[in-house]
Amino acid sequence: MGKYNFDVDAADCAKAKGTALRVHFKHTREIMHTIQGMKLTRAKQFLSNVLQSKEAVPFTMFTGSVGRNAQLKNLKVPGSKGGWPQKATKVILDLLTNAEANAEHDNLDAEDLVVMHAQANRAPKTRRRTYRAHGRIGPYMALPAHCEVVLGKAAEGVAKGEGETKALKLGKRREAQLRIKSGGGV
């Protein structure tokens, strides 16, 4: 069993991991950030929609030279920046399918699973070289990624206690405005 960056009860979760995957790290980071917290069925549907260009992946960290699209207005993305990274999406969809199979092997119901943890890390660059003009040699590197996904059951929501309302803290100005509206004062 490989080492994961997320400690969780092994009985309630299913894990999947890919090491040194030949997909762009920046794309995988944005996809993982988007699917974290989604239900498994919604995450798989989202990724298949990305492959068909029906939904876009919002780019929030690596936004240089990224195009804008109206699909991202629904997700409240700053600047509506995003894209449809095909290769990285296919790899992460395979990773989710693998985690789902691991969950079924552990007798977990796939309908109740949520993507508790999704992370992409930079992997070592694969160094090649390209030949340039005037006898020079330039770098020609791939930027692969390590990806890991942990699926688990959604946490039960805690019911709000009765009678535990907190008094609003008002400033001097707002208190004065409320006094004038209610008719109190000097």
Side-chain angles (χ1 to χ4, degrees):
M1 186 85 173
K3 186 177 175 186
Y4 286 81
N5 291 325
F6 186 74
D7 293 330
V8 71
D9 231 358
D12 295 353
C13 71
K15 303 174 185 178
K17 182 177 180 178
T19 306
L21 302 171
R22 283 294 300 267
V23 289
H24 290 300
F25 159 71
K26 293 182 179 184
H27 291 172
T28 54
R29 185 265 170 205
E30 301 294 355
I31 295 169
M32 292 292 204
H33 182 72
T34 305
I35 66 170
Q36 185 159 350
M38 286 186 183
K39 288 193 166 198
L40 176 63
T41 53
R42 171 67 184 122
K44 288 177 77 172
Q45 181 64 43
F46 173 76
L47 293 177
S48 62
N49 286 346
V50 169
L51 290 174
Q52 297 168 8
S53 298
K54 291 181 181 175
E55 286 186 81
V57 175
F59 280 50
T60 54
M61 181 177 281
F62 302 107
T63 57
S65 300
V66 174
R68 302 170 190 272
N69 196 279
Q71 288 180 359
L72 295 152
K73 289 182 182 177
N74 299 333
L75 298 173
K76 307 281 189 249
V77 179
S80 297
K81 290 186 171 189
W84 303 268
Q86 299 291 306
K87 188 174 177 183
T89 302
K90 287 177 188 171
V91 168
I92 293 172
L93 189 58
D94 288 343
L95 208 60
L96 278 179
T97 308
N98 189 352
E100 183 182 16
N102 292 343
E104 288 175 3
H105 180 266
D106 294 340
N107 297 325
L108 296 174
D109 188 19
E111 298 296 322
D112 301 336
L113 295 178
V114 175
V115 180
M116 293 173 61
H117 171 73
Q119 181 177 339
N121 293 326
R122 290 182 195 268
K125 296 175 182 175
T126 58
R127 298 186 66 90
R128 292 182 290 168
R129 54 202 209 166
T130 185
Y131 298 95
R132 311 298 302 267
H134 309 293
R136 292 176 299 137
I137 293 174
Y140 203 68
M141 294 188 278
L143 302 165
H146 302 310
C147 300
E148 59 186 49
V149 174
V150 177
L151 304 176
K153 291 187 178 178
E156 295 287 328
V158 178
K160 189 173 184 179
E162 292 181 23
E164 296 180 23
T165 57
K166 215 175 188 181
L168 293 175
K169 290 187 178 181
L170 301 174
K172 290 180 183 178
R173 182 176 177 185
R174 185 64 184 149
E175 283 179 356
Q177 287 172 344
L178 292 174
R179 272 198 311 270
I180 291 172
K181 281 185 181 176
S182 64
V186 181

